[in-house]
């Protein structure tokens, strides 16, 4: 029989709310198993008869019988006809394992690989899970044509049946690759074919692939300064040496890039660009600089990694043609995403690759997640082909332009003592520079506690040459919501400044 303490331990395990989701027989089984693992019940120790234990626990005999049967099947107990149930000798090897889940002391550390440490210390990339003001890069989802999407998804399931439930080719569904190629050729001036498109889950995955497939640890890569934090973290985690190149109103300072190339002992093997809307300044890379970067890549046999993350939203004339479409040497990797143009939950991005990189990138992708889900891919292909994507982008472009202007006006009216807006020609967020000395990190944290998400500008710089401020997203919020959030931010900053 169980001692009183052992019986009470089983009762406590059964009644613990943390185990409430388990069936009763499983709770009894796991409670006894834990006593065995902890060494409380020694090898050869007899267990109570099922009837007696059921009475002690206030449960049915069938419940205890089911628990014992499972313990026997797992090798924790032996059942002898006419003699009862006993702790199995095989359980002796497992005793003591029950304590392995104890909390670590402050002196214990988890040993990670160098790569694992770099990934962890880099902090990852934070997604803004809820569209709180002023989370950058978050689109308006309330205006998305959900009924149209649902109708197209039903068509996909009807036409493909159970075929849509199978694996997608790792390069992506052919219909979506064709739709993407047609779209970027028409709207972005790209030189794409379906065979050169690789469908991914995100632009972040594309950056990780570029860092791992194109460069080795210790290799140098030019990055914009300031730069998109997700790119820099991907490159840092891969062990690359990021060389910052300053940005001005015309984008990346290509003259500085060329000077760094001449001065360096080992030339950089790639350059990372956000040429349509430089992140976070919003500057557009001038045409002569685009051509100069292309010449650099050709001469150095380097790679251009072009992140075209939100080029659909350009508010003054037509957006400039992408670098990839201007590059006759096939040294440019073009990265795009539907996360910002449609909705974050879609999780579809893509790369347009030089022909020589299609097979290596596709094989490398299979080691990350295998493939993207077929049903969203097939639905998106129809959404693009039927003209719904273009119509949605045009609608949101108009809405976002108005919201950009509203935010700029609200900052001028309510935050002029603290911020100066730099109104971008496109995109979904606005850089705002401090007009007085403020502790950026403290301001960001104070705003977060008040329900406002801001991205600090200083943290996006690799060099010490920077101006502090905020990157403020405006796309996901209506004018009255922006007004309320600006007034709340004004209160936060008033309190911070005393």
């Amino acid at each position: 029989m169980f001692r009183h303490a052992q019986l009470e331990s089983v009762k406590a395990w059964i009644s613990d709310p943390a185990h409430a989701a388990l069936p009763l027989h499983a709770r009894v089984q796991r409670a006894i198993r834990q006593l065995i693992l902890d060494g409380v019940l020694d090898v050869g120790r007899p267990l109570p008869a099922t009837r007696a234990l059921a009475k002690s626990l206030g449960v049915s005999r069938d419940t205890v019988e089911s628990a014992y049967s499972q313990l026997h099947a797992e090798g924790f107990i032996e059942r002898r006809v006419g003699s009862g149930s006993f702790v199995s000798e095989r359980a002796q090897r497992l005793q003591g394992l029950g304590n392995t889940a104890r909390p670590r002391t402050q002196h214990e550390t988890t040993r990670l690989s160098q790569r694992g440490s770099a990934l962890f210390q880099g902090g990852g990339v934070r997604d803004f899970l809820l569209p709180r003001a002023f989370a950058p890069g978050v689109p308006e989802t309330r205006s998305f044509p959900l009924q149209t999407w649902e109708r197209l998804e039903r068509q996909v399931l009807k036409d493909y049946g159970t075929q849509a439930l199978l694996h997608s080719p790792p390069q992506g569904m052919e219909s979506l690759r064709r739709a993407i190629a047609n779209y970027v050729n028409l709207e972005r001036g790209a030189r794409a074919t379906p065979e050169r498109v690789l469908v991914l889950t995100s632009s972040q995955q594309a950056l990780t692939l570029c860092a791992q497939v194109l460069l080795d640890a210790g290799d140098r890569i030019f990055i914009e300064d300031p730069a998109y934090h997700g790119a820099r973290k991907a490159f840092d985690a891969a062990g690359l040496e990021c060389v910052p190149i300053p940005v001005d109103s015309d984008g990346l300072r290509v003259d500085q890039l060329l000077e760094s190339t001449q001065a360096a002992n080992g030339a950089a093997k790639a350059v990372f660009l956000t040429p349509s809307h430089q992140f976070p300044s919003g500057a557009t890379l001038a045409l002569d600089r685009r051509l100069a970067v292309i010449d650099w890549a050709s001469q150095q046999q380097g790679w251009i990694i072009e992140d075209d993350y939100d080029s659909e939203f350009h508010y003054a004339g037509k957006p400039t043609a992408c670098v990839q479409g201007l590059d006759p040497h096939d040294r440019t990797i073009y990265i795009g995403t539907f996360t910002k143009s449609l909705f974050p939950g879609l999780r579809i991005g893509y790369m347009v690759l030089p022909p020589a990189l299609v097979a290596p990138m596709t094989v490398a992708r299979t080691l990350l997640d295998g493939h993207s889900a077929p049903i969203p891919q097939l639905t998106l292909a129809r959404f693009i082909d039927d003209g719904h994507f273009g119509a949605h982008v045009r609608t949101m472009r108009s809405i976002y332009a108005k919201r950009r202007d509203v935010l700029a006006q609200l900052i001028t009216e309510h935050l002029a003592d603290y911020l100066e807006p730099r109104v971008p020609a496109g995109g979904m967020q606005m850089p705002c520079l401090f007009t007085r000395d403020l502790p950026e990190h403290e301001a960001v944290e104070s705003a977060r506690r008040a329900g406002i998400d801001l991205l600090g500008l200083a943290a996006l710089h690799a060099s010490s040459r920077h101006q502090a401020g905020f990157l403020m997203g405006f796309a996901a919020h209506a004018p009255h919501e922006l007004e309320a959030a600006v007034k709340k931010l004004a209160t936060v900053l008033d309190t911070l400044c005393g």
Side-chain angles (χ1 to χ4, degrees):
M1 291 292 293
F2 283 167
R3 299 190 187 96
H4 176 73
Q6 296 163 354
L7 183 63
E8 291 301 311
S9 177
V10 174
K11 288 181 178 179
W13 212 99
I14 293 173
S15 61
D16 189 336
H19 308 142
L22 293 172
L24 185 56
H25 73 273
R27 282 181 268 169
V28 174
Q29 177 254 334
R30 295 191 187 187
I32 297 173
R33 184 180 68 181
Q34 196 63 46
L35 291 176
I36 296 173
L37 289 172
D38 290 342
V40 176
L41 299 179
D42 296 329
V43 172
R45 175 74 177 272
L47 271 63
T50 55
R51 189 186 304 276
L53 183 57
K55 183 177 180 181
S56 298
L57 297 177
V59 301
S60 72
R61 185 181 179 186
D62 287 344
T63 297
V64 177
E65 177 62 34
S66 295
Y68 277 18
S69 295
Q70 184 63 30
L71 287 166
H72 176 65
E74 294 178 354
F76 285 95
I77 68 173
E78 297 176 0
R79 309 196 75 177
R80 305 170 191 166
V81 177
S83 299
S85 301
F86 302 84
V87 178
S88 169
E89 291 184 4
R90 287 180 291 178
Q92 187 172 19
R93 291 175 295 175
L94 301 173
Q95 288 189 340
L97 295 180
N99 292 325
T100 58
R102 60 186 171 80
R104 291 182 176 271
T105 68
Q106 61 180 354
H107 301 294
E108 292 180 293
T109 59
T110 300
R111 298 186 65 178
L112 302 176
S113 67
Q114 290 183 352
R115 183 181 297 107
S117 297
L119 288 168
F120 179 62
Q121 293 170 8
V125 179
R126 176 190 174 196
D127 281 327
F128 295 100
L129 301 183
L130 296 175
R132 306 198 310 177
F134 297 93
V138 180
E140 171 62 84
T141 56
R142 293 169 293 187
S143 299
F144 183 76
L146 194 57
Q147 291 182 336
T148 299
W149 185 269
E150 291 174 336
R151 175 173 56 81
L152 295 174
E153 187 172 77
R154 286 195 301 270
Q155 289 179 7
V156 165
L157 293 173
K158 180 180 178 180
D159 293 346
Y160 286 84
T162 56
Q163 290 294 313
L165 307 182
L166 301 176
H167 288 281
S168 161
Q171 192 177 341
M173 303 300 285
E174 195 276 337
S175 61
L176 179 56
R177 290 189 284 112
R178 183 178 61 250
I180 290 172
N182 291 338
Y183 170 74
V184 296
N185 288 343
L186 177 64
E187 297 293 336
R188 301 297 299 117
R191 296 186 304 112
T193 63
E195 294 73 26
R196 296 176 64 172
V197 175
L198 173 60
V199 177
L200 302 168
T201 54
S202 66
S203 57
Q204 191 64 41
Q205 186 181 49
L207 294 169
T208 298
L209 281 170
C210 288
Q212 294 181 350
V213 175
L214 302 180
L215 301 101
D216 292 312
D219 282 348
R220 306 169 79 240
I221 180 171
F222 290 131
I223 64 170
E224 299 164 323
D225 190 33
Y228 171 55
H229 51 293
R232 193 169 71 190
K233 289 185 176 184
F235 301 150
D236 286 342
L240 309 184
E241 180 187 348
C242 294
V243 180
I245 304 296
V247 170
D248 62 20
S249 59
D250 286 327
L252 184 84
R253 289 279 306 276
V254 179
D255 59 325
Q256 297 280 333
L257 180 147
L258 298 177
E259 288 180 13
S260 296
T261 299
Q262 294 171 356
N265 293 327
K269 294 186 177 181
V271 57
F272 171 74
L273 300 172
T274 52
S276 294
H277 301 135
Q278 198 278 329
F279 189 98
S281 71
T284 298
L285 186 63
L287 178 59
D288 60 326
R289 297 189 183 185
R290 293 172 186 242
L291 298 176
V293 170
I294 291 171
D295 287 342
W296 170 86
S298 176
Q299 293 170 10
Q300 298 293 324
Q301 288 298 286
W303 298 105
I304 302 169
I305 303 172
E306 178 181 13
D307 186 357
D308 211 23
Y309 62 99
D310 67 355
S311 63
E312 289 86 5
F313 305 118
H314 199 84
Y315 310 127
K318 294 286 289 184
T320 307
C322 65
V323 173
Q324 191 270 353
L326 300 172
D327 179 7
H329 312 293
D330 283 332
R331 305 300 305 179
T332 303
I333 295 96
Y334 178 91
I335 299 173
T337 179
F338 294 98
T339 295
K340 295 174 173 59
S341 54
L342 292 179
F343 54 94
L346 181 57
R347 306 315 301 157
I348 293 182
Y350 60 92
M351 289 195 287
V352 179
L353 295 164
L357 290 182
V358 173
M361 287 287 192
T362 302
V363 169
R365 185 270 168 88
T366 65
L367 296 174
L368 297 181
D369 62 352
H371 67 99
S372 297
I375 296 174
Q377 288 189 70
L378 295 168
T379 305
L380 177 57
R382 296 190 179 199
F383 193 78
I384 297 172
D385 288 340
D386 291 355
H388 304 298
F389 178 67
H392 179 66
V393 166
R394 288 190 294 273
T395 298
M396 301 318 296
R397 187 182 294 142
S398 175
I399 291 174
Y400 292 170
K402 293 176 182 177
R403 293 181 178 182
R404 174 202 61 173
D405 295 341
V406 167
L407 178 59
Q409 183 61 35
L410 288 169
I411 292 172
T412 301
E413 291 178 4
H414 301 284
L415 292 169
D417 290 342
Y418 304 106
L419 298 173
E420 176 189 345
R422 296 292 176 87
V423 183
M428 303 165 67
Q429 51 268 328
M430 181 183 302
C432 299
L433 303 181
F434 287 165
T435 56
R436 58 191 295 181
D437 188 21
L438 288 174
E440 182 182 281
H441 178 73
E442 187 176 346
V444 169
E445 286 301 306
S446 296
R448 182 186 59 80
R449 290 192 293 269
I452 295 173
D453 286 323
L454 298 164
L455 191 61
L457 292 178
L460 302 177
H461 286 261
S463 68
S464 59
R465 305 186 301 272
H466 63 260
Q467 288 181 280
F470 302 137
L471 188 64
M472 302 176 67
F474 53 79
H477 298 280
H480 71 279
E481 295 168 328
L482 292 172
E483 181 176 8
V486 165
K487 290 180 178 178
K488 181 184 289 188
L489 179 58
T491 300
V492 168
L493 297 180
D494 287 342
T495 301
L496 184 63
C497 294

